């Protein structure tokens, strides 16, 4: 069975480095051949291209812009009344993806507005379907794959709209504290990795966790996995 392919989420790992572009080289030095990012739009696009080229890593996934994080946004795909903002964000994401040779964009659904019950969010589903249809037509022309990600509403984000699983890109973090996979928690990742191998999973496994300390020091679990598959 072929080994799994891991990519470093640079929005979560190597945060000890203040400049986002510095994290490309650190990921490469740690052994990663691919990276992903939640949001990278504060970084200069030319500098991102330079960092990618110099590090030699592949960018395999970026998110659409979140909207106004300070005002509670976390994506706009399913938020009624924000369709124009979603489309502008999608245009920006496509620009970055093409410049970085990234073939996947996560289309963020967003949060249920305060005061609205989840059971009463039928309008959000209609909005999400409309925006996904629009995005699918745009991405098809660009040769980019659009992905959706359900988020754990019990622990991670109680108000996130999309909370049911779909087949696609996989990301990992220990439960409940979202630290390294080998940290104390509820999930046996060795078992899950073996299961993914048996299933023949060929996509990337994104490392989207919060390091307990220095990122490099917490990668023992990954070095152990790589060594066992040499």
């Amino acid at each position: 069975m072929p080994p799994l392919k891991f990519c470093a989420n640079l929005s979560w790992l190597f945060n000890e480095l203040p400049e986002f572009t510095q994290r490309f080289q650190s990921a490469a030095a740690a052994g990663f051949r691919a990276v992903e990012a939640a949001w990278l739009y504060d970084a200069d696009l030319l500098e991102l291209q330079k960092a990618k080229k110099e590090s030699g890593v592949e960018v395999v996934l970026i998110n659409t812009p979140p909207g106004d994080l300070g005002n509670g946004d976390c994506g706009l795909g399913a938020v009624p009344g924000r369709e124009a903002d979603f489309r502008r964000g999608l245009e920006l994401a496509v620009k970055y993806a093409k410049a970085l040779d990234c073939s996947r964009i996560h289309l963020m659904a967003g949060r249920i507005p305060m005061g609205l019950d989840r059971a009463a969010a039928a309008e959000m589903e209609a909005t999400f379907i409309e925006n996904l249809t629009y995005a699918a037509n745009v991405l098809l022309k660009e040769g980019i794959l659009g992905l959706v990600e359900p988020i754990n509403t019990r622990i991670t984000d109680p108000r996130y709209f999309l909370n049911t699983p779909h087949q696609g890109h996989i990301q990992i973090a220990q439960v409940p504290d979202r630290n390294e996979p080998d940290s104390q928690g509820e999930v046996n990742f060795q078992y899950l990795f073996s299961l993914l191998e048996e299933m023949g999973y060929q996509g990337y496994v994104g490392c989207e966790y919060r390091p307990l300390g220095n990122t490099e020091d917490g990668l023992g679990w990954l070095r152990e996995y790589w060594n066992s598959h040499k």
Side-chain angles (χ1 to χ4, degrees), residues 4-10 13-14 23-36 55-58 60 172 181 204-209 215-216 218-223 226:
L4 298 174
K5 300 182 296 184
F6 293 88
C7 58
N9 190 306
L10 299 185
L13 305 189
F14 306 103
R23 301 172 192 173
F24 283 81
Q25 192 60 51
S26 292
F32 287 100
R33 297 181 180 179
V35 299
E36 63 181 32
S55 65
V57 298
E58 179 185 1
V60 299
I172 57 172
Y204 279 94
V205 178
C207 303
E208 190 178 283
Y209 58 81
T215 300
E216 178 74 24
L219 289 174
W221 67 272
L222 185 54
R223 288 189 287 268
W226 283 336

Side-chain angles (χ1 to χ4, degrees), residues 51-198:
K52 174 186 179 293
K53 182 178 180 180
E54 291 180 349
S55 65
V57 298
E58 179 185 1
V59 179
V60 299
L61 174 70
I62 63 173
N63 288 2
T64 49
D68 186 353
L69 287 170
N71 199 37
D73 290 339
C74 190
L76 300 172
V79 182
R82 303 290 298 277
E83 290 88 351
D85 292 332
F86 171 80
R87 294 183 181 192
R88 281 191 291 270
L90 176 64
E91 181 180 358
L92 182 62
V94 168
K95 176 183 176 181
Y96 271 68
K98 291 173 65 176
L100 297 171
D101 296 319
C102 176
S103 61
R104 303 171 187 84
I105 295 177
H106 168 205
L107 306 166
M108 296 202 70
R111 291 176 172 142
I112 296 175
M114 294 295 293
L116 182 64
D117 183 78
R118 179 173 292 276
E123 184 182 2
M124 293 191 71
E125 182 173 353
T127 300
F128 198 33
I129 292 173
E130 178 184 341
N131 281 331
L132 288 179
T133 301
Y134 174 84
N137 290 325
V138 171
L139 298 180
L140 179 63
K141 296 175 184 177
E142 302 292 350
I144 296 173
L145 180 65
L147 303 177
V148 294
E149 176 191 349
I151 291 179
N152 186 331
T153 53
R154 182 174 64 89
I155 296 174
T156 305
D157 193 335
R159 289 170 44 219
Y160 199 76
F161 172 72
L162 190 63
N163 68 338
T164 57
H166 293 266
Q167 184 178 10
H169 186 76
I170 293 174
Q171 294 173 325
I172 57 172
Q174 187 55 271
V175 178
D177 295 326
R178 200 166 186 169
N179 300 130
E180 286 88 344
D182 63 344
S183 61
Q184 185 174 356
E186 302 173 9
V187 181
N188 182 341
F189 278 101
Q190 288 186 344
Y191 168 75
L192 290 182
F193 292 160
S194 297
L195 187 61
L196 288 172
E197 291 173 4
E198 291 174 8

